[in-house]
Amino acid sequence: MAARSFDVVVIGAGPGGYVAAIRAAQLGKSVAIVEREHLGGICLNWGCIPTKALLRSAEVFHLMHRAKEFGLSADNISYDLDAVVKRSRKVAGQLSGGIGHLMKKNKITVVMGSATLPAKGKVTVKTDKGTEELTAPNIILATGARARELPGLEADGDLVWTYKHALQPKRMPKKLLVIGSGAIGIEFASFFNTLGADVTVVEVQDRILPVEDAEISAFAKKQFEKQGMKILEKAMVKKLDRAAPKVTAHIERGGNTETMEFDTVISAVGIVANTENLGLEALGAKIDRSFVVTDKYCRTGVEGLFVIGDATQGPWLAHKASHEGVMVAELIAGGHPHAVDPASIAGCTYCHPQVASVGLTEAKAKEAGYEIKVGRFPFIGNGKAIALGEPEGMIKTIFDAKTGELLGAHMIGAEVTELIQGYVVGRALETTEEDLMNTVFPPPTLSEMMHESVLDAYGRALHF
């Protein structure tokens, strides 16, 4: 069968790949996209979207238990785990189907199968019907990543789970160990804890949510412990002894090793890029610990080969991948897009309470040599937060004392994953503290706290 030629071939149909394909098609390019499993990739099928659906069920369940506070009554509150999971899968399925529609609408050729790159500008796809050859002067690699597995802690789907098993749990854990306290680990810890599991989180670094500002991490820890979670920091799971229905974890902390028994373990210790067996090294691409090394425009140094999303340097977030996809498509079409700035990508964690941040932490700003002004505002000082029954939280802003540049913003509390975008837009527009102070925030909203936090950095907070 003769090779089919396109202007652009995208490998991987996750939030980086499918968006890159759509933008390239909008710019008049002929585009093919290769996907070995599901349109929408991990994000839509096994990550961002289905986890949020699960967490929403947990949030409603939590609120039902608080009905009395709101003058309501709800008796015999319970849940059906299978139904919770079924709803989550339905949400994922609906969105994944929507990607298929978008591919058709934009006249993008979809090839289902596993791709390799035998030579520059060539893609070989193993499909269930045989092998197909595609050629294109521009290839965008968006193959994503998978859960990292540590020796001895490998998932078996029964006693030890990855996020994929945790999204379709075969049982409700009674005693759960979560290894790793990044966004994935903490979201699952929060979900199962809310539904009644006895949850222990083990983090090798000196605090949970280690990429967040230290003050936010400390606040989160206090809230999680209040909810009944056990948090072990500066601790490492050295070994798991599996003897169904129990797992014995050997946990090393402060020079001592203790053993603890669990019925379920979730391993959330980072990711590994899906970059092996593609032929990248032979083409001359550089790979560092599984991730392809690129410049700020996602170029690999191999002519016509771009790598975006989780297959390259972090932060490993769906929205970064999508933005890189658009940038690369515009570059290919002869445009002059802005490079994606990792420091302006917000991070959001949908635990309870939610956590969101953008830019530098206080420690990183000091490390970078800035003289800083820091503002804080607590949820307890905000009318809307009190009316919602969500008085636990805070917003923290960090400014360059010399220029008034917003260096970073860090939040914990109800709906902060929605609020953070205000500061993201502010950073994109190179907003100063004066612009933010002169902006009118409508009351009663949670966003008023964003204003107050800025005012506080300059000793002008009004409501606290």
Side-chain angles (χ1 to χ4, degrees), residues 32-109:
I33 192 162
V34 181
E35 172 54 49
R36 70 179 178 189
E37 209 176 349
H38 306 285
L39 294 177
I42 293 294
C43 178
L44 264 67
N45 295 283
W46 296 105
C48 334
I49 302 299
T51 52
K52 300 316 153 278
L54 289 182
L55 286 156
R56 175 65 171 159
S57 292
E59 183 186 12
V60 173
F61 184 65
H62 166 75
L63 284 170
M64 287 167 79
H65 277 92
R66 294 177 57 195
K68 206 171 171 187
E69 278 178 50
F70 297 93
L72 309 170
S73 65
D75 300 320
N76 304 318
I77 300 157
S78 63
Y79 61 84
D80 174 343
L81 188 59
D82 289 344
V84 167
V85 170
K86 196 175 168 188
R87 175 181 181 269
S88 164
R89 300 315 308 153
K90 191 180 167 193
V91 168
Q94 184 180 338
L95 288 165
S96 183
I99 305 301
H101 168 71
L102 288 171
M103 297 298 99
K104 275 198 188 86
K105 183 185 159 194
N106 288 283
K107 299 181 174 56
I108 294 160
T109 302

Side-chain angles (χ1 to χ4, degrees), residues 244-261:
K246 293 268 178 268
V247 184
T248 304
H250 297 252
I251 300 168
E252 190 186 274
R253 196 161 59 126
N256 301 316
T257 300
E258 58 181 313
T259 58
M260 294 169 82
E261 277 196 350

Side-chain angles (χ1 to χ4, degrees), residues 364-387:
K364 286 268 190 281
K366 284 176 179 166
E367 224 174 87
Y370 287 102
E371 190 190 320
I372 59 173
K373 282 188 182 289
V374 180
R376 296 169 186 82
F377 197 80
F379 272 50
I380 193 76
N382 176 263
K384 178 74 178 286
I386 294 165

Side-chain angles (χ1 to χ4, degrees), residues 150-154 238-240 242:
L150 297 178
L153 311 184
E154 295 92 350
K238 300 299 278 185
K239 168 163 94 131
L240 296 173
R242 306 167 203 226

